[in-house]
Amino acid sequence: MRLLLLSNSTNAGEPYLDYPKHYIKSFLGDKCIKVLFIPYAAVTFSFDEYENRVKARFNEIGHDAISVHHFDSPVEAVRSAEVIVVGGGNTFSLLKLLQQNNLMDIIKEKVDEGIPYIGWSAGSNMACPTICTTNDMPIVQPVDFKAFNFVPFQINPHYTDYVAPGHAGETRDDRINEFLTANPSVTVVGLREGSILKFENSKLELLGKNDIKIFHYNEPTTEYSPESNFSFLI
Amino acid sequence: MRLLLLSNSTNAGEPYLDYPKHYIKSFLGDKCIKVLFIPYAAVTFSFDEYENRVKARFNEIGHDAISVHHFDSPVEAVRSAEVIVVGGGNTFSLLKLLQQNNLMDIIKEKVDEGIPYIGWSAGSNMACPTICTTNDMPIVQPVDFKAFNFVPFQINPHYTDYVAPGHAGETRDDRINEFLTANPSVTVVGLREGSILKFENSKLELLGKNDIKIFHYNEPTTEYSPESNFSFLI
């Protein structure tokens, strides 16, 4: 299995998909590939618009992208894809449309067979057992919360331990601790913005400059740097 | 119908349930009432502990509280309740346990008949048509997202337009706009911390010092002060 799981598409103040472009280029290799893009997490902008933004950045690094919404049969589009790329947005919308278009099984099958998978934000959450560590608002209701289960842990994308001054609502850590209390056997990876998890050749690596924070039920959290050995996670 | 819907239990830096206690006292009246407390949103602490914290504050204002988890039949407990109080925590856990204990219909019936309902945070979200404007993590999966539908609009509790510096993830307003795009006919009320919506005698009032922000699909947001007439919302 080959996975590139990004916390976020874009760092604050930078152009769209800019920070990860060299990682994506190196992950995809030199041969020009037209990736199949899944735009279903887009809510407040069109799938065409989303495709255009992604395609422009993939073109810049010598690749191309076509969105699944152009195909009469999304299932056949996935079946013949060389690389699957799942963009961020709203995780509930993404999962609901993947379910409605019958793409859950076929994407899982293809990625299990070795087709590379790139996701960011909601697209990275989809690589986990469930979407239960999303930060998104449940604006629509999927049939269930099960995701692709490519990795055995949960990612919390856009992870931050920043606490807004004067705010009394739950912090991100509070929410993750609630998740762990309800799901005590699961590991949660707090993936900060600018961080990427890469899995290939049976090895998990952390790319980018930031540490990740690992949460287990009823244990102190631990920070791991990009130099760490992450075999314990898989 | 009589409703007291609080954005939050507690303002930052203040004791638990302190800021709203006088509003609750005035809403309940002078006669000592033992309210029925629903603690199901608690995840990282016990129902007993939750009951104790709430009971202590209700005692301070001349009332009392008993939690539904002490009753063999939660349905019968609701049926004989004088006031129903639903505390905050995780909205998904709250809804799931309300469903599992068959309390959705009976609470709706009782409150429609005139039994006062007090909720904060997740408990206020439950007064809306759905839980789809919660800020909480979907740590467990309820059967569906339908809530009590006491008010015809959605509340976003702990509403804030604060944007964390250097963070590229969605803002609260982004998330609410995603909700409105998926549900364009619905009105969303951004209820800031320290704010309370009170509904009685067919009149909706805003209590507290803060304005609320009202969101409609594809329209500029509008701020309304506690002096405003809110009849347009109901």
Side-chain angles (χ1 to χ4, degrees), chain B residues 17-233:
Chain B
L17 266 186
D18 195 65
Y19 88 87
K21 66 186 177 189
H22 299 298
Y23 297 112
I24 294 173
K25 185 176 170 62
S26 143
F27 184 70
L28 291 178
D30 288 333
K31 191 190 124 223
C32 172
I33 295 174
K34 185 181 255 188
V35 305
L36 182 70
F37 179 59
I38 313 282
Y40 296 156
V43 178
T44 55
F45 48 96
S46 73
F47 293 165
D48 280 342
E49 194 181 331
Y50 204 177
E51 178 188 40
N52 287 340
R53 288 157 68 185
V54 170
K55 187 180 162 73
R57 191 65 69 207
F58 274 69
N59 287 164
E60 186 193 325
I61 56 170
H63 295 284
D64 201 3
I66 182 163
S67 173
V68 73
H69 76 281
H70 295 302
F71 293 84
D72 290 336
S73 166
V75 171
E76 287 309 313
V78 170
R79 205 184 297 279
S80 55
E82 284 186 87
V83 172
I84 294 163
V85 176
V86 182
N90 185 282
T91 312
F92 294 88
S93 299
L94 170 60
L95 178 56
K96 185 173 182 167
L97 285 175
L98 285 166
Q99 291 168 344
Q100 281 182 346
N101 287 289
N102 295 313
L103 293 188
M104 294 299 295
D105 289 345
I106 184 72
I107 291 179
K108 187 155 174 50
E109 193 184 312
K110 291 284 289 184
V111 175
D112 282 343
E113 282 171 5
I115 289 294
Y117 178 99
I118 300 174
W120 53 87
S121 195
S124 292
N125 246 151
M126 279 305 302
C128 305
T130 69
I131 62 160
C132 294
T133 49
T134 178
N135 309 305
D136 294 339
M137 205 171 254
I139 63 170
V140 293
Q141 192 191 334
V143 176
D144 59 44
F145 291 172
K146 285 184 199 137
F148 293 131
N149 198 28
F150 297 144
V151 292
F153 51 84
Q154 288 293 132
I155 292 170
N156 176 245
H158 302 276
Y159 173 73
T160 175
D161 37 24
Y162 180 81
V163 178
H167 190 67
E170 287 88 347
T171 64
R172 186 69 59 84
D173 284 29
D174 290 339
R175 298 189 192 286
I176 293 173
N177 283 325
E178 287 183 349
F179 170 82
L180 289 171
T181 307
N183 306 274
S185 66
V186 183
T187 299
V188 177
V189 173
L191 196 61
R192 291 185 170 88
E193 294 190 339
S195 290
I196 300 173
L197 288 174
K198 183 174 79 164
F199 182 78
E200 58 186 0
N201 303 319
S202 305
K203 192 177 167 201
L204 187 69
E205 280 181 88
L206 173 63
L207 309 177
K209 289 176 193 151
N210 292 324
D211 294 354
I212 54 176
K213 197 192 264 188
I214 308 256
F215 299 77
H216 291 110
Y217 176 62
N218 234 352
E219 290 179 23
T221 57
T222 321
E223 298 270 349
Y224 290 86
S225 74
E227 291 73 39
S228 307
N229 180 335
F230 291 103
S231 57
F232 72 96
L233 275 177

Side-chain angles (χ1 to χ4, degrees), chain A residues 3-7 117-120 123-124 127-128 150-151 153 155 191 195-199:
Chain A
L3 308 169
L4 195 70
L5 307 176
L6 292 62
S7 174
Y117 177 98
I118 300 174
W120 54 87
S124 292
C128 305
F150 297 144
V151 293
F153 51 84
I155 292 170
L191 196 61
S195 289
I196 300 172
L197 288 174
K198 184 175 78 164
F199 182 78

Side-chain angles (χ1 to χ4, degrees), chain A residues 82-229:
Chain A
E82 284 185 89
V83 173
I84 294 163
V85 176
V86 181
N90 184 282
T91 311
F92 294 88
S93 298
L94 170 60
L95 177 55
K96 185 172 183 166
L97 285 176
L98 285 166
Q99 290 168 344
Q100 281 182 346
N101 287 289
N102 296 313
L103 293 188
M104 293 300 294
D105 289 345
I106 184 72
I107 291 179
K108 187 155 175 50
E109 192 184 313
K110 291 285 289 184
V111 175
D112 282 342
E113 283 172 5
I115 289 294
Y117 177 98
I118 300 174
W120 54 87
S121 195
S124 292
N125 247 151
M126 280 303 303
C128 305
T130 69
I131 62 159
C132 293
T133 49
T134 178
N135 310 306
D136 294 340
M137 205 171 254
I139 62 169
V140 294
Q141 192 191 334
V143 176
D144 59 44
F145 291 172
K146 286 184 198 137
F148 292 131
N149 197 28
F150 297 144
V151 293
F153 51 84
Q154 287 293 132
I155 292 170
N156 176 245
H158 301 276
Y159 173 73
T160 173
D161 37 25
Y162 180 81
V163 178
H167 190 67
E170 287 90 346
T171 65
R172 186 68 60 84
D173 283 29
D174 290 339
R175 299 189 191 289
I176 293 172
N177 283 326
E178 288 184 349
F179 171 82
L180 289 172
T181 306
N183 305 273
S185 65
V186 183
T187 299
V188 177
V189 174
L191 196 61
R192 292 185 170 88
E193 293 191 338
S195 289
I196 300 172
L197 288 174
K198 184 175 78 164
F199 182 78
E200 58 186 0
N201 302 320
S202 306
K203 193 178 167 202
L204 187 69
E205 282 180 88
L206 173 62
L207 310 178
K209 289 174 193 153
N210 292 323
D211 292 355
I212 54 175
K213 195 191 266 189
I214 308 256
F215 298 76
H216 290 110
Y217 177 62
N218 234 354
E219 290 179 22
T221 57
T222 323
E223 299 269 349
Y224 289 86
S225 73
E227 291 73 39
S228 308
N229 180 335

